[in-house]
Amino acid sequence: MSRAIYPGTFDPITFGHLDIIERASHIFEETIIAVVKKPFKSVFLPYKDRLKLVQEATKSVKGVRVEGFSGLVVDYAKSKNINIIVRGIRMLSDFEYEFQMALTNRKLNPKIETIFLMPHPKYSYLSSRLIREIAYLGGNLDEFLPKCCIEEINKKIKSK
Ligand code: COA
């Protein structure tokens, strides 16, 4: 069975991530979306909310499973017996960071390969950070996020 892991922070999951997930689901029989529990950057949504929103947003995509993980992504992949990591490249500016991460992961575990997928150009400018900023400033999020995420983010902002 062909399987891959798509790891990320998903703070929150956007239409751009969903585009990558759908593309991966056409290539692999099973794609595990791995939501990092404690990323090395500050997050807006707690782990449980990020996980729940990824689950809701992907429930109609066939061959996709959502899990949380901590520790190194290569160790998590190994524990699942998976040797492919999927990452999305939106534009050239993503490349340097992704290239570094892929080569570092390869150094940590040479058996694990990273493959890159490109989202549809209409999503190439999307970023979770800018979406969080729009949300804080009361902008319309319909073009960027699934409905379940918009409701959760608006709730979160109101409660702050
Ligand atoms: N559409 C829209 N946005 C996208 C996107 C897409 N297709 N692909 C990436 N992004 C955005 C994200 O929204 C996020 O934006 P933000 O920084 O403005 O919030 C940014 O690109 C990157 O986020 P993400 O794709 O979630 O990945 P990440 O850089 O947060 O990395 C892990 C997450 C899980 C891959 C990484 O932290 C990791 O591997 N952690 C485990 C520890 C480890 O193994 N470390 C060693 C790594 S070498």
Side-chain angles (χ1 to χ4, degrees):
M1 191 184 191
S2 61
R3 298 162 76 220
I5 281 179
Y6 179 42
T9 308
F10 305 109
D11 185 35
I13 186 166
T14 69
F15 285 140
H17 295 121
L18 279 172
D19 181 279
I20 298 288
I21 291 164
E22 271 165 26
R23 284 170 204 282
S25 78
H26 296 149
I27 301 171
F28 301 101
E29 286 162 273
E30 182 178 66
T31 306
I32 297 186
I33 308 173
V35 181
V36 69
K37 289 185 182 170
K38 287 185 190 157
F40 270 86
K41 59 181 181 186
S42 57
V43 278
F44 170 63
L45 294 170
Y47 162 66
K48 279 192 178 157
D49 291 347
R50 289 183 284 115
L51 184 80
K52 187 181 79 182
L53 292 178
V54 175
Q55 277 163 341
E56 271 183 53
T58 59
K59 64 183 175 209
S60 61
V61 190
K62 283 211 173 88
V64 159
R65 193 142 57 89
V66 184
E67 291 188 4
F69 80 102
S70 29
L72 291 172
V73 72
V74 289
D75 290 345
Y76 176 71
K78 191 178 170 196
S79 74
K80 296 277 152 189
N81 219 7
I82 292 178
N83 58 9
I84 296 174
I85 295 173
V86 169
R87 293 285 291 168
I89 294 220
R90 293 163 293 176
M91 48 184 110
L92 206 56
S93 53
D94 281 342
F95 183 74
E96 198 172 331
Y97 169 65
E98 293 295 339
F99 186 72
Q100 276 182 338
M101 193 152 68
L103 291 185
T104 309
N105 280 331
R106 184 191 280 167
K107 195 82 189 162
L108 292 169
N109 187 334
K111 290 187 182 151
I112 294 178
E113 291 293 348
T114 302
I115 70 159
F116 297 108
L117 299 178
M118 279 157 287
H120 190 283
K122 71 180 174 192
Y123 300 127
S124 61
Y125 64 92
L126 272 188
S127 110
S128 297
R129 184 184 63 77
L130 290 178
I131 288 169
R132 291 192 296 270
E133 194 171 314
I134 295 167
Y136 265 113
L137 299 172
N140 188 318
L141 297 170
D142 292 351
E143 297 285 323
F144 313 129
L145 298 179
K147 215 168 173 214
C148 57
C149 295
I150 299 178
E151 285 160 9
E152 193 66 37
I153 286 201
N154 286 338
K155 244 194 319 189
K156 200 105 217 147
I157 288 173
K158 275 192 194 130
S159 72
K160 287 205 173 191

